[in-house]
Amino acid sequence: MASTARIATGTKIYLYVSLTIIAAIVLVPLLTTALGGFKDLGDLRTNPFGLPAAWHLENYTDILFGDRYWRQMMNSLVIATLTVCLTVSVSAMAAFTFAHVKFFGAGFLLNYFLIGLMFPAATAILPLFIRIRDLGLLNSYWGVVLPQVSFGLGMSILLFRNYFRNLPEELFQAAIVDGCGYIRFFWHISLPLSRPIIATVSIISFVGSWNSYILPLIMLNSETMYPWPLGIMVYRGEFGTAWQLVLAFITLTIMPTIIVFFLAQKHIIAGLTAGAVKS
C-alpha cells in the first residue's frame, strides 16, 4: 500500500511538473507579446522579456480607436464566417454520404478528398491565382473564402465521417424502418447529435481562416479589403518597423480566437475523440 501511494504521489508530481512546463511554453510568448505592446521601441530592444520601464498605453489605444483596425477585424470576421459556414455545410453533407450511403467509387472519392491533406496550400498558389483571376474573384471575399474552404474539406470530411460512423447504428436502422429517408435522417437526427464535431470543425476552420496570411496577400490588392494579418504591414516603414505597435496589434487581434477556443474547448475535445474507437 505504501509503495502504491508513493507511485501515485510521484505520478501526480510528474503530471503537475509536465503541465507547468507546457503552460509556460504556451504562456510565455503570449505574455511577452502583450507586454511588448506597452513598451517603446528602445525599451523593447534592450529589455524584450521584462516588464516595461514605462507603460505606453497609447500603443493600444491608438490602434483601438483607429478606423483601420476595426475595418480589418470586420474583414477577417466576414471571411472567417463565410469559410466556417461553407466548410461545415459541405463537409457534413459529404461525410454523411460517405458514412451511410453505399455507392460505386465511394472509397476512391473519399481518398481523393483526403489526398489534399498531403499538399500544403502554398504549392497551389500560382494555378489557384490564375483560376481565381479567370473567375473574376480577385480582390473580393470569395476569392479568399473558396480556396480556404477547398483546402479545409479534407480534414473536415474525415472528422465528420468518423463521428457519423460512431453514432449508434440502431438509430439509422430504426429511422429507415419508420420510413425516414437519408435527407430527413441527416437533418433531424445526425446533425442535432453532432454539436461537438460541428464545434470542432468550426473552430479549426475559424482559426485557420482568421490567421491566414498568404491567400489574402495573393488574392487581395485593396487595403480596404485586408484582413488583420495583412494589417501588420502598415507598421513597416521604409527604414524600420514599429515593433511595439506590431506586438500591440497582434495581441488585440489574437484575443478573439483565444476567447472562442476557451468557450468551445469542451466541444472541441469531445469532437476530436468521438471517432477514436469506431471508424
Side-chain angles (χ1 to χ4, degrees):
M1 294 295 294
S3 60
T4 303
R6 285 196 298 268
I7 293 174
T9 303
T11 302
K12 289 182 179 180
I13 294 174
Y14 171 75
L15 289 176
Y16 285 136
V17 171
S18 301
L19 292 175
T20 301
I21 294 174
I22 294 173
I25 293 174
V26 174
L27 292 176
V28 167
L30 294 176
L31 292 176
T32 302
T33 301
L35 291 175
F38 288 103
K39 302 176 181 179
D40 57 30
L41 189 57
D43 189 19
L44 186 61
R45 288 174 175 172
T46 58
N47 181 30
F49 299 105
L51 293 174
W55 295 79
H56 294 272
L57 297 177
E58 66 274 8
N59 292 344
Y60 283 93
T61 56
D62 289 347
I63 295 173
L64 282 174
F65 292 105
D67 294 337
R68 182 184 290 112
Y69 169 76
W70 294 107
R71 182 172 64 247
Q72 291 166 355
M73 291 287 283
M74 182 57 65
N75 290 336
S76 292
L77 182 61
V78 171
I79 293 173
T81 301
L82 292 174
T83 300
V84 169
C85 292
L86 284 178
T87 301
V88 171
S89 301
V90 175
S91 59
M93 290 186 287
F96 179 84
T97 303
F98 288 126
H100 294 295
V101 181
K102 307 298 182 182
F103 61 93
F104 177 76
F108 172 80
L109 191 58
L110 176 62
N111 290 330
Y112 178 79
F113 279 110
L114 299 183
I115 285 176
L117 296 175
M118 299 189 298
F119 298 97
T123 60
I125 284 298
L126 181 57
L128 186 60
F129 173 81
I130 295 173
R131 178 59 60 187
I132 294 297
R133 182 198 61 188
D134 293 342
L135 292 174
L137 297 178
L138 286 180
N139 200 38
S140 68
Y141 291 141
W142 294 109
V144 179
V145 170
L146 294 180
Q148 289 183 161
V149 172
S150 299
F151 287 122
L153 281 180
M155 178 60 71
S156 301
I157 289 175
L158 180 63
L159 293 174
F160 267 115
R161 175 179 175 271
N162 289 342
Y163 191 91
F164 287 150
R165 289 173 64 90
N166 201 43
L167 293 176
E169 186 67 23
E170 292 78 7
L171 285 176
F172 184 73
Q173 295 174 355
I176 295 297
V177 171
D178 291 340
C180 182
Y182 286 111
I183 296 178
R184 290 182 60 191
F185 182 80
F186 173 72
W187 284 108
H188 298 291
I189 299 178
S190 292
L191 281 187
L193 295 175
S194 304
R195 285 180 292 180
I197 195 62
I198 291 174
T200 301
V201 174
S202 298
I203 296 301
I204 293 174
S205 300
F206 182 86
V207 173
S209 175
W210 189 266
N211 296 327
S212 178
Y213 177 80
I214 189 169
L215 273 174
L217 180 64
I218 299 299
M219 303 303 174
L220 304 176
N221 53 37
S222 173
E223 187 177 337
T224 59
M225 300 290 295
Y226 282 175
W228 81 262
L230 299 185
I232 298 176
M233 297 188 298
V234 174
Y235 305 106
R236 295 185 57 186
E238 183 178 357
F239 302 104
T241 301
W243 290 110
Q244 74 279 14
L245 297 179
V246 171
L247 295 179
F249 186 84
I250 291 175
T251 302
L252 291 172
T253 49
I254 65 175
M255 288 305 296
T257 56
I258 295 176
I259 293 173
V260 170
F261 177 81
F262 275 111
L263 291 177
Q265 61 177 327
K266 183 187 298 184
H267 295 294
I268 294 173
I269 295 172
L272 289 175
T273 57
V277 177
K278 178 181 176 181
S279 61

